[in-house]
Amino acid sequence: MRALLMGLPGAGKGTQAERIVKRYGVPHIATGDMFRRAVELGTPLGLEAKRYMDQGLLVPDEVTIGIVRERLLEPDAARGFLLDGFPRTIPQAEALEALLAELGRPLEAVLYIAVPRDDLVERLTGRRICPKCGAIYHVKFRPPRVEGICDICGTPLKQRDDDREEVVVKRLEVNAAQLEPLLAFYREKGLLYEVDGTPPVDEVTQAIFEILDRVKGTR
């Protein structure tokens, strides 16, 4: 299974990615993890990426695609992969397409978990964190037993600055503007599968599995 997972912040990509890789036995290749892995291994491209990251700069596309190539050539990706967080732009998507064609391992499916903006705002702004033990709650979906107090250690819960509504709304706008051209790119190629991300988590998972099983069955 060679797939790409897309969705706006709060859509539930992390949860679904865990379930996809467990079912299909492929690695979850997320951009941040990929960079950290390359840096830890000390590869020439990893060290070059680190030089940019240490300066707070974006890693150039040619370095990023080189790190993607290195990661896809590792043994655990031989049976497939789930890409997450890359590509972010049309040039990156085109470079990825060329790389996968060269490797003879083209994408089979692009999964987009679609959730209305208002639902995403509710999910993200309702999150609360325990500053002492790191436990995560949600005022609606996973409230603590006592409002505003951590179940585990009794510490008052906090809302992260980047979970405040004005920050969340701006973040979603920026991400949506970046995502739309990519959705159009993959839709035109017949690879895009849109999944409704609003039902319960297990129902979303089942919908994703049905798509991927169907894609596998047509190979």
Side-chain angles (χ1 to χ4, degrees), residues 17-207:
E18 289 179 6
R19 297 181 176 197
I20 292 168
V21 299
K22 183 177 181 181
R23 178 180 173 97
Y24 296 99
V26 297
H28 177 207
I29 302 178
T31 306
D33 295 340
M34 189 174 55
F35 281 133
R36 283 189 290 273
R37 184 185 180 96
V39 170
E40 287 169 7
L41 291 173
T43 69
L45 286 170
L47 296 175
E48 189 171 353
K50 184 177 186 297
R51 184 165 59 84
Y52 287 96
M53 291 187 290
D54 287 348
Q55 299 176 68
L57 301 173
L58 288 175
V59 179
D61 284 355
E62 61 269 21
V63 177
T64 301
I65 199 69
I67 289 175
V68 172
R69 179 192 175 89
E70 288 182 340
R71 182 66 186 88
L72 292 179
L73 288 173
E74 292 188 33
D76 66 339
R79 295 181 62 245
F81 51 82
L82 180 68
L83 276 172
D84 179 4
F86 181 86
R88 292 183 180 273
T89 65
I90 295 299
Q92 288 182 354
E94 292 170 340
L96 176 64
E97 184 178 45
L99 169 62
L100 294 177
E102 176 195 339
L103 298 177
R105 299 158 69 186
L107 278 176
E108 297 173 296
V110 176
L111 297 164
Y112 169 52
I113 303 177
V115 179
R117 196 200 73 154
D118 288 350
D119 288 4
L120 294 173
V121 171
E122 181 181 44
R123 291 181 185 185
L124 294 169
T125 59
R127 186 163 50 186
R128 298 293 183 271
I129 309 290
C130 176
K132 184 175 181 181
C133 73
I136 301 174
Y137 301 87
H138 192 282
V139 296
K140 180 178 179 179
F141 305 115
R142 191 177 181 270
R145 289 191 294 270
V146 178
E147 184 178 352
I149 301 297
C150 178
D151 292 346
I152 299 170
C153 65
T155 302
L157 301 175
K158 301 287 187 182
Q159 182 183 44
R160 297 190 325 192
D161 287 342
D162 57 355
D163 285 340
R164 299 190 185 281
E165 185 166 356
E166 62 274 15
V167 178
V168 165
V169 169
K170 181 62 178 176
R171 183 176 163 208
L172 289 173
E173 288 176 354
V174 170
N175 278 267
Q178 187 180 58
L179 189 60
E180 281 304 320
L182 288 169
L183 296 179
F185 178 85
Y186 287 115
R187 186 179 293 114
E188 184 177 328
K189 294 182 178 298
L191 290 170
L192 186 67
Y193 296 87
E194 187 168 313
V195 180
D196 182 2
T198 57
V201 173
D202 289 346
E203 291 183 26
V204 178
T205 301
Q206 187 56 39

